[in-house]
Amino acid sequence: MSMEPVKNEDASDERLSVDADESSVPGAVVFRLKGRLDVFTYNDLKESMDPFLTGAAGKCWLVDLSHVPFVASSGWSVFIATRARLNAVGARLGLLGLLPEQVRVYQSMRMGDLVPAFANLAEATRQMGLST
């Protein structure tokens, strides 16, 4: 019996786009994500963040999820692991621009106990004591 692969319409062939900006907010790295953050793309996020670990001490990493329509458990696990790595060097992590479905998952997972979330960049910079 021959089996043809079935295309999963929910699976994303699109790579996650990650734009890292170290210049718009002093003392912070702003990661702007676009696309789905799932089992197919979570490693793209990790690989995009890893180079910034050198020199992360004392900084704040802000991850903008406003253009991410879906975050799978693998994506949330990246944030948990990143938070631990940043805490080890005296740096902080914050999420911003969560969409309504992300807010529900964020709250149900009690992510707020680990990683603060903010409505937008202005709120994040104000609440985290950063200047623009």
Side-chain angles (χ1 to χ4, degrees):
M1 169 156 96
S2 166
M3 293 189 64
E4 293 293 320
V6 176
K7 173 120 174 98
N8 180 351
E9 297 301 324
D10 292 331
S12 174
D13 292 332
E14 171 188 332
R15 301 308 275 175
L16 181 71
S17 165
V18 181
D19 175 47
D21 175 8
E22 291 184 278
S23 62
S24 63
V25 179
V29 181
V30 180
F31 295 93
R32 292 181 179 90
L33 281 54
K34 184 175 183 184
R36 292 171 57 96
L37 182 51
D38 57 24
V39 69
F40 302 105
T41 62
Y42 79 97
N43 206 43
D44 297 338
L45 177 59
K46 286 174 48 177
E47 289 175 358
S48 295
M49 290 178 152
D50 281 350
F52 293 92
L53 283 170
T54 301
K59 288 191 176 179
C60 181
W61 286 14
L62 301 172
V63 180
D64 184 349
L65 296 172
S66 61
H67 295 287
V68 179
F70 177 76
V71 179
S73 59
S74 52
W76 294 110
S77 69
V78 170
F79 299 135
I80 294 168
T82 299
R83 176 218 180 242
R85 293 170 76 186
L86 291 175
N87 280 357
V89 297
R92 300 175 290 161
L93 176 66
L95 304 176
L96 54 110
L98 276 70
L99 301 175
E101 183 59 31
Q102 296 165 351
V103 170
R104 284 191 285 277
V105 174
Y106 175 90
Q107 291 172 338
S108 70
M109 292 178 64
R110 300 182 53 107
M111 286 289 293
D113 294 344
L114 301 173
V115 181
F118 309 97
N120 52 48
L121 184 58
E123 181 185 340
T125 57
R126 185 176 56 256
Q127 294 288 328
M128 297 191 91
L130 302 167
S131 61
T132 53

